[in-house]
């Protein structure tokens, strides 16, 4: 029973969809289906119930899923220990956003507990690159926010956060219970530098082309609003700061916190970090909900 085949099985078991699992594994669906069939032959039992309504685990598949996760985890820990013994156990993490987030702190504690001998290097990045340097090879993995161009990347959603309009405290809309994008249509917005991922820029500008001061960091966003009376979007959970207000935007999709890394990266520390992140963010807080997707 090969580890690669077990990874295929775990992907299908978690997605409960062969197409999504194939996309997650960066392979086509026919060879994935054949690999699962060979595994079922080797086990001597069907692992999935397949029907027009979808895919579900059989009783045997449920048992194998737990065993496969344990075995893959053991193999990962072995590779990490070997890397640590060779003096090569390090990981560079790109961080976009609030490093004081309780989930980030929980992740740091959990990962250190899991891999106490791994040196983690943090690279905080500006708003112009939502991949935090993944494409440029500056980081191994990133804690960031979608949406952005995910070409060549694997991405897992960690949490969804509501967003609001960032306004001056004396703005005529600041005392409202909620606003819509149409209420901000005639305003100047803060924008990101030229060359910023257009998918990312479009989300933070409410789906419309905007004009306004260029910002590169969260603090610059706040200052642009404070000094110029421009508007923009921010997380509802972020403290606006003195002189500013955040009003819920009721017609905007939530901002998705994600973990992302380069597809096919063989570094076991990367996969371990992603798995630890999903688990750390799964703990629910009073103002958030969690959904894990591919």
């Amino acid at each position: 029973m090969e580890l690669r085949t077990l990874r295929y099985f775990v992907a299908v078991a978690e997605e409960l969809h062969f197409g999504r699992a194939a996309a997650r594994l960066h392979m086509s669906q026919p060879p994935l289906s054949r690999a699962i069939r060979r595994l079922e032959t080797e086990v001597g039992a069907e692992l999935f119930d397949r029907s027009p309504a979808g895919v579900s685990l059989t009783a045997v598949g449920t048992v194998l899923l737990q065993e496969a996760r344990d075995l893959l985890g053991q193999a990962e820990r072995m590779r990490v220990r070997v890397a640590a013994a060779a003096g090569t156990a390090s990981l560079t993490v790109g961080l976009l956003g609030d490093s004081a987030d309780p989930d980030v702190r929980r992740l740091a504690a959990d990962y250190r507990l899991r891999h106490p001998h791994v040196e983690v290097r943090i690279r905080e990045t500006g708003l112009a690159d939502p991949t935090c340097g993944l494409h440029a090879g500056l980081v191994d993995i990133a804690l960031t926010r979608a949406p952005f161009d995910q070409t060549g990347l694997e991405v897992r959603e960690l949490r969804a956060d509501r967003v609001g309009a960032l306004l001056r405290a004396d703005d005529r809309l600041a005392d409202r219970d909620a606003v819509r994008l149409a209420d901000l249509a005639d305003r100047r917005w803060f924008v990101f530098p030229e060359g910023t991922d257009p998918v990312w820029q479009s989300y933070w500008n409410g789906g419309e082309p905007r004009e306004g001061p260029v910002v590169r960091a969260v603090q610059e966003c706040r200052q642009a609003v404070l000094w110029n009376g421009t508007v923009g979007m921010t997380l509802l959970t972020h403290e606006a700061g003195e002189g500013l207000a955040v009003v819920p935007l009721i017609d905007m999709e939530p901002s998705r916190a994600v973990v992302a890394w380069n597809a096919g990266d063989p570094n076991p520390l990367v996969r371990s970090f992603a798995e630890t992140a999903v688990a750390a963010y799964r703990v629910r807080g009073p103002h958030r909900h969690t959904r894990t997707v591919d």
Side-chain angles (χ1 to χ4, degrees):
M1 195 173 295
E2 296 182 353
L3 292 179
R4 180 176 61 179
T5 305
L6 290 178
R7 290 192 184 94
Y8 292 172
F9 165 72
V10 170
V12 178
E14 291 179 347
E15 298 292 342
L16 291 179
H17 190 282
F18 277 84
R20 287 196 299 269
R24 170 173 159 181
L25 294 164
H26 300 280
M27 62 188 299
S28 59
Q29 186 172 334
L32 175 61
S33 297
R34 289 194 295 270
I36 297 301
R37 284 296 189 190
R38 287 195 298 269
L39 180 60
E40 288 177 320
T41 299
E42 185 176 355
V43 171
E46 289 194 347
L47 302 173
F48 297 99
D49 286 323
R50 302 164 176 86
S51 72
V55 177
S56 60
L57 280 167
T58 63
V60 175
T62 300
V63 172
L64 182 60
L65 177 58
Q66 182 59 57
E67 295 294 333
R69 283 172 169 163
D70 290 345
L71 183 58
L72 291 171
Q74 182 178 354
E76 171 202 300
R77 289 189 293 273
M78 177 188 69
R79 287 193 294 267
V80 170
R81 287 195 297 270
V82 170
T88 59
S90 66
L91 191 73
T92 301
V93 178
L95 188 62
L96 180 96
D98 187 3
S99 58
D101 186 319
D103 286 339
V104 175
R105 295 199 301 267
R106 185 182 305 110
L107 169 57
D110 290 352
Y111 195 74
R112 182 167 179 79
L113 184 63
R114 188 171 184 177
H115 300 301
H117 302 298
V118 173
E119 179 182 349
V120 177
R121 303 161 184 161
I122 299 297
R123 182 179 185 269
E124 292 191 0
T125 59
L127 299 176
D129 180 14
T131 74
C132 302
L134 278 173
H135 289 310
L138 300 176
V139 300
D140 299 307
I141 195 164
L143 290 172
T144 183
R145 289 190 170 273
F148 51 83
D149 180 5
Q150 297 182 10
T151 303
L153 302 177
E154 291 196 44
V155 179
R156 297 287 182 275
E157 184 177 316
L158 302 174
R159 196 181 72 212
D161 296 305
R162 295 177 61 200
V163 297
L166 181 63
L167 309 166
R168 281 177 56 98
D170 59 1
D171 191 287
R172 60 183 174 80
L173 301 176
D175 60 352
R176 289 195 182 184
D177 292 331
V179 294
R180 295 181 178 273
L181 288 170
D183 297 323
L184 309 171
D186 60 343
R187 302 294 194 92
R188 283 169 55 83
W189 288 55
F190 50 72
V191 297
F192 301 141
E194 185 177 353
T196 296
D197 184 325
V199 178
W200 167 258
Q201 176 76 81
S202 177
Y203 173 82
W204 290 103
N205 280 169
E208 299 288 340
R210 308 288 184 181
E211 294 184 355
V214 174
V215 298
R216 295 171 177 80
V218 172
Q219 192 57 33
E220 289 183 10
C221 298
R222 294 170 179 156
Q223 293 301 318
V225 176
L226 187 64
W227 287 83
N228 302 307
T230 54
V231 303
M233 282 169 36
T234 189
L235 303 181
L236 283 185
T237 54
H238 277 181
E239 292 291 336
E242 188 174 353
L244 298 172
V246 181
V247 181
L249 267 167
I250 60 176
D251 54 351
M252 272 300 299
E253 286 291 314
S255 170
R256 312 286 181 179
V258 300
V259 58
W261 65 99
N262 286 304
D265 191 328
N267 185 350
L269 294 174
V270 169
R271 179 69 63 174
S272 178
F273 187 94
E275 293 173 352
T276 308
V278 170
Y281 277 70
R282 192 173 291 141
V283 179
R284 296 173 184 266
H287 58 265
R288 63 185 59 140
H289 65 276
T290 304
R291 184 169 62 98
T292 303
V293 298
D294 196 311

